Amino acid sequence: MQAGVAHGALSGLVGYNLRRSDVYMREQFLRTLADWDIRPSQYSVMTLIASNSAVTQSGIAEALSIQRPNLVGIVLRLEKRGLIRRVVSESDRRSQVLSLTPRGARLLEELNGVIAAMDRRITACWTDAERDQLVSLLQRLWLQKP
Amino acid sequence: MQAGVAHGALSGLVGYNLRRSDVYMREQFLRTLADWDIRPSQYSVMTLIASNSAVTQSGIAEALSIQRPNLVGIVLRLEKRGLIRRVVSESDRRSQVLSLTPRGARLLEELNGVIAAMDRRITACWTDAERDQLVSLLQRLWLQKP
DNA sequence: TATTGTTATACTCTATAACTATA
DNA sequence: TATAGTTATAGAGTATAACAATA
């Protein structure tokens, strides 16, 4: 499987192949998005803000399974870069309501194109049908939460 | 996709679904193997040692894409637990040749059963054919190294 | 009481430079 | 000079406890 070194029982494990694939995709993401200085978590957060009006930090954290304390740094960074706005909720003054700034919205549009193209380019070793089925199988896996 | 919060463009990305799936599988691994105090990397290293006679740390590091400095702690820990042996190579005295101790070999046999069963149990949401195809597709993905 | 956001903190994983001993 | 193993170290990512403000 690798030059000279046999992988034994690892080759057949879903967990091992998921891990290697995830690492590989993240490397490509970081390299491709280096010019934009955007991390996977930052893109995920911006996408969820764009897709959900009046979403709060708690909502984002739960949807992405990020611990609330760890989200603070991410949103503060995005706010400091002028990509998102945080305003105290009218209905619940404990909550911060998140939204994209015009600049953040423009950047996200650009990122959507770049990232979708990258995701397809790296997975060009698959047919469209194989890609669709893989995404479908993975969702069936991680969306089960027993 | 998640309670109330839409995932937007993330849902269709291979990278996002790989990440969530990997995190999910690793959580299950850590919980299942907690009684043995075995991490995924430790199991991977032991498996490669068992599958390759006279393998060195460099060989393991390259095959698993672990940085050489980061492998040192892993093998020292396994040695301290009496699971592997490290002996200086006869042919090249810079190299450490790794092998399992009888105790390490017995433990690995047990781990192979536990981990294979876990891997199948967690992926029971798939048919055998779906599982085989997914493993095949993932290998095609991460084994390309351009 | 319970929840939101926050601070502080610790632990793991990962990455790089530099050293040693061998080749 | 190049490589194997090691040390030291720094940077991410992730986890929990505890607090203030608010519900």
Coordinates of all heavy atoms in Angstrom, one line a residue, chain B residues 2 32 68 103 113 121 131 136 144:
Chain B
Q2 N -28.9 19.6 10.7 CA -28.8 19.6 12.2 C -30.0 20.4 12.7 O -30.6 21.2 12.0 CB -27.5 20.3 12.6 CG -27.1 20.0 14.0 CD -26.2 18.8 14.2 OE1 -26.6 17.8 14.7 NE2 -25.0 18.8 13.6
T32 N -14.2 3.3 22.9 CA -14.2 1.8 22.9 C -12.8 1.3 23.5 O -12.8 0.3 24.2 CB -14.4 1.3 21.5 OG1 -15.6 1.8 21.0 CG2 -14.4 -0.3 21.5
R68 N 9.0 12.3 12.2 CA 9.9 11.5 13.0 C 10.0 11.9 14.5 O 9.9 11.1 15.4 CB 11.3 11.4 12.4 CG 11.6 10.3 11.5 CD 10.8 10.3 10.2 NE 11.3 11.2 9.2 CZ 10.5 12.0 8.4 NH1 9.2 11.9 8.5 NH2 11.1 12.8 7.5
R103 N 4.1 -10.2 24.8 CA 2.9 -9.5 25.4 C 2.3 -8.6 24.4 O 1.0 -8.5 24.3 CB 3.4 -8.8 26.6 CG 2.2 -8.3 27.5 CD 2.6 -7.8 28.8 NE 1.8 -6.7 29.2 CZ 2.2 -5.6 29.7 NH1 3.5 -5.3 29.8 NH2 1.3 -4.6 30.0
G113 N -9.3 -7.9 17.1 CA -10.7 -8.3 17.1 C -11.6 -7.2 17.6 O -12.7 -7.0 17.0
R121 N -19.3 -2.4 13.6 CA -20.5 -2.0 14.4 C -20.9 -0.5 14.1 O -22.1 -0.2 13.8 CB -20.3 -2.2 15.9 CG -21.5 -1.7 16.8 CD -21.2 -2.1 18.2 NE -19.9 -1.7 18.7 CZ -19.6 -0.4 19.0 NH1 -20.5 0.5 18.9 NH2 -18.4 -0.1 19.5
R131 N -19.9 -0.6 2.2 CA -18.7 -0.4 3.0 C -17.4 -0.7 2.2 O -16.5 0.1 2.2 CB -18.7 -1.4 4.2 CG -17.6 -1.3 5.2 CD -17.7 -2.3 6.3 NE -16.8 -2.1 7.4 CZ -15.5 -2.3 7.3 NH1 -15.0 -2.8 6.3 NH2 -14.8 -2.1 8.4
S136 N -12.8 1.4 -0.8 CA -12.1 1.5 -2.1 C -12.0 2.9 -2.6 O -10.9 3.3 -3.1 CB -12.8 0.6 -3.1 OG -12.5 0.9 -4.4
Q144 N -3.5 8.9 -3.8 CA -2.9 9.8 -4.9 C -2.1 10.8 -4.1 O -2.6 11.5 -3.2 CB -4.1 10.4 -5.7 CG -4.9 11.4 -4.9 CD -6.1 11.9 -5.8 OE1 -6.1 11.8 -7.0 NE2 -7.1 12.5 -5.1

